[in-house]
Amino acid sequence: MNTSPKILLVYTGGTIGMIKNFETGALIPFNFDELLLKIPELKQLDCQISTISFDKPIDSSDMDVVRWKELGDIINGTYDMYDGFVVLHGSDTMSYTASAVSFMFENLSKPIIFTGSQLPIGDLRTDAKENLITALQIAALQEKGMPVVTEVGLYFEYKLLRANRTTKVNAEHFEAFQSSNYPALIESGVHLKVNESYLYKVEGNQKMIYHTHFDNRIVIVKMFPGINENILKSIFSSDLLKGIIIETYGAGNTTTQKWFLEVISDLIKKGVAIVNVTQCIGGSVDMGKYDTSVSLKEIGVISGKDITTEAALAKLMYLLGENLSLKVLKTIYETPLRGEMLEN
Ligand code: ASP
């Protein structure tokens, strides 16, 4: 009997799974049932690979909460049958989906590794093969029969990063993702270097809980000098709005103009959750550090600390979906749930 780890490879779409139609020159999705035929190197891996594909693979720009659930359902429905999961996903919104999946699976005890590529798998200079092969190796990595990684990771260009700490930063380089506020979990050189102390571990032997409800009645607003009062008020006037993420300057600063603070304060009084995340690629929100953020703290704006915008969005949709009071939501939001932000 083959006792090597069983891995489910899920194809959602994106460049990685495309091949060129040499007649038209267009990229078309590749038939994943033929994966082992097209990449015979996979046979050398010490794991058993099964594949499943979205009925209609998509460019990740078309990802939405319905498809997040479609993906979550595939993993949840086969959770006990596999030792690990690799998700092939377009790189454009991979950090959003992978962050959302990290909130979907509470007390995860198996690896869910996202990967993709900048060039299609059939391309001569493709980065897809290395990304796919090493992502599978990482998903199959075990120590004393237990998976080494028990969180949602994103593998790209020789690094496994905590997925909910990542941002796509480059549309050209093979090194497309960055995790400025958290170190790499695994580095791939001649050997796989596992940075044990950075891996996320759930305390005790807790049962996995699957969450599926994301409330997408939210908006992201980026602060910029000259932001227009009437336009902002008109965006914020929708009664549907349940949450707002404000991408602020530096350590969480915004304009101190009276109209702006009044709008924010009124929205919070109406029960809208407002989260402060920095538009900087690294570092943390620290409301109260500068005079320009003291009022935000006083009126009850939620601190996103060092969270990425991608994870902030997924966390807000997830917590709004849990139907909490604004006070409880604020407390939970400011607490790390899956290693997505610092403790204090
Ligand atoms: N536009 C593609 C996508 O995100 C790019 C990629 O696959 O990397 O689906």
Side-chain angles (χ1 to χ4, degrees):
M1 199 179 95
N2 189 342
T3 55
S4 61
K6 295 190 185 73
I7 307 298
L8 182 64
L9 181 64
V10 187
Y11 178 55
T12 66
T15 305
I16 190 163
M18 305 270 175
I19 46 168
K20 204 172 240 166
N21 176 332
F22 288 106
E23 275 157 33
T24 62
L27 290 173
I28 47 167
F30 156 111
N31 180 357
F32 262 79
D33 299 336
E34 293 169 12
L35 185 72
L36 288 172
L37 296 175
K38 292 264 170 41
I39 316 175
E41 297 93 316
L42 293 178
K43 290 204 191 93
Q44 292 178 45
L45 290 175
D46 192 16
C47 61
Q48 306 167 61
I49 306 166
S50 305
T51 58
I52 184 167
S53 171
F54 269 16
D55 287 343
K56 286 198 185 78
I58 52 163
D59 185 293
S60 78
S61 311
D62 278 326
M63 259 297 161
D64 56 20
V65 292
V66 175
R67 285 169 175 126
W68 285 352
K69 183 169 179 314
E70 189 181 339
L71 173 60
D73 285 350
I74 291 173
I75 298 172
N76 183 51
T78 54
Y79 193 72
D80 294 332
M81 292 156 59
Y82 293 96
D83 300 295
F85 300 84
V86 172
V87 179
L88 301 180
H89 193 287
S91 60
D92 288 348
T93 65
M94 194 188 299
S95 294
Y96 291 92
T97 304
S99 296
V101 169
S102 78
F103 293 111
M104 281 174 150
F105 291 89
E106 186 175 348
N107 302 329
L108 193 63
S109 60
K110 302 179 180 192
I112 302 178
I113 311 298
F114 279 74
T115 194
S117 65
Q118 295 281 53
L119 285 174
I121 209 151
D123 196 287
L124 220 47
R125 294 178 52 252
T126 189
D127 51 332
K129 282 193 184 178
E130 198 286 318
N131 285 348
L132 172 58
I133 289 168
T134 311
L136 284 163
Q137 254 182 333
I138 289 171
L141 211 57
Q142 297 196 342
E143 214 178 86
K144 297 191 186 121
M146 300 301 284
V148 170
V149 178
T150 53
E151 60 179 293
V152 183
L154 188 154
Y155 184 79
F156 227 87
E157 196 59 9
Y158 304 109
K159 279 188 193 135
L160 180 75
L161 305 171
R162 176 166 297 157
N164 57 29
R165 291 290 197 155
T166 62
T167 299
K168 184 172 179 183
V169 292
N170 205 302
E172 166 71 20
H173 293 166
F174 286 142
E175 196 171 346
F177 289 88
Q178 200 166 307
S179 164
S180 300
N181 287 334
Y182 202 77
L185 307 175
I186 297 182
E187 287 155 281
S188 167
V190 174
H191 302 286
L192 284 182
K193 180 170 172 274
V194 181
N195 297 319
E196 283 285 343
S197 59
Y198 300 138
L199 294 172
Y200 190 76
K201 296 281 174 233
V202 174
E203 300 286 326
N205 194 8
Q206 302 191 57
K207 204 174 159 355
M208 190 274 282
I209 306 168
Y210 178 49
H211 302 268
T212 55
H213 194 212
F214 287 91
D215 189 334
N216 64 357
R217 287 174 291 177
I218 71 167
V219 70
I220 301 178
V221 170
K222 183 171 183 158
M223 272 286 125
F224 59 91
I227 197 159
N228 183 289
E229 174 177 351
N230 292 329
I231 290 180
L232 203 64
K233 281 183 175 165
S234 116
I235 295 171
F236 289 168
S237 66
S238 167
D239 286 336
L240 292 176
L241 207 55
K242 295 277 173 250
I244 301 167
I245 292 169
I246 307 183
E247 276 198 357
T248 58
Y249 307 124
N253 308 308
T254 60
T255 170
T256 51
Q257 288 178 79
K258 198 158 163 273
W259 68 263
F260 179 78
L261 295 171
E262 272 172 12
V263 172
I264 299 295
S265 172
D266 289 349
L267 284 164
I268 294 173
K269 281 184 200 138
K270 268 173 54 188
V272 177
I274 303 196
V275 181
N276 184 346
V277 302
T278 174
Q279 48 186 257
C280 294
I281 192 79
S284 179
V285 162
D286 183 2
M287 283 191 287
K289 183 173 178 187
Y290 291 92
D291 205 30
T292 41
S293 64
V294 169
S295 309
L296 299 177
K297 190 174 182 175
E298 282 169 3
I299 60 184
V301 170
I302 300 167
S303 175
K305 301 182 185 177
D306 64 341
I307 201 167
T308 60
T309 298
E310 293 86 338
L313 170 133
K315 189 172 185 177
L316 186 56
M317 287 190 186
Y318 162 59
L319 290 180
L320 287 172
E322 298 283 295
N323 276 323
L324 308 164
S325 69
L326 184 54
K327 193 164 170 257
V328 173
L329 185 146
K330 180 175 191 297
T331 306
I332 301 181
Y333 201 100
E334 291 176 344
T335 309
L337 301 180
R338 311 279 190 271
E340 75 285 359
M341 58 163 56
L342 45 77
E343 291 281 343
N344 291 304

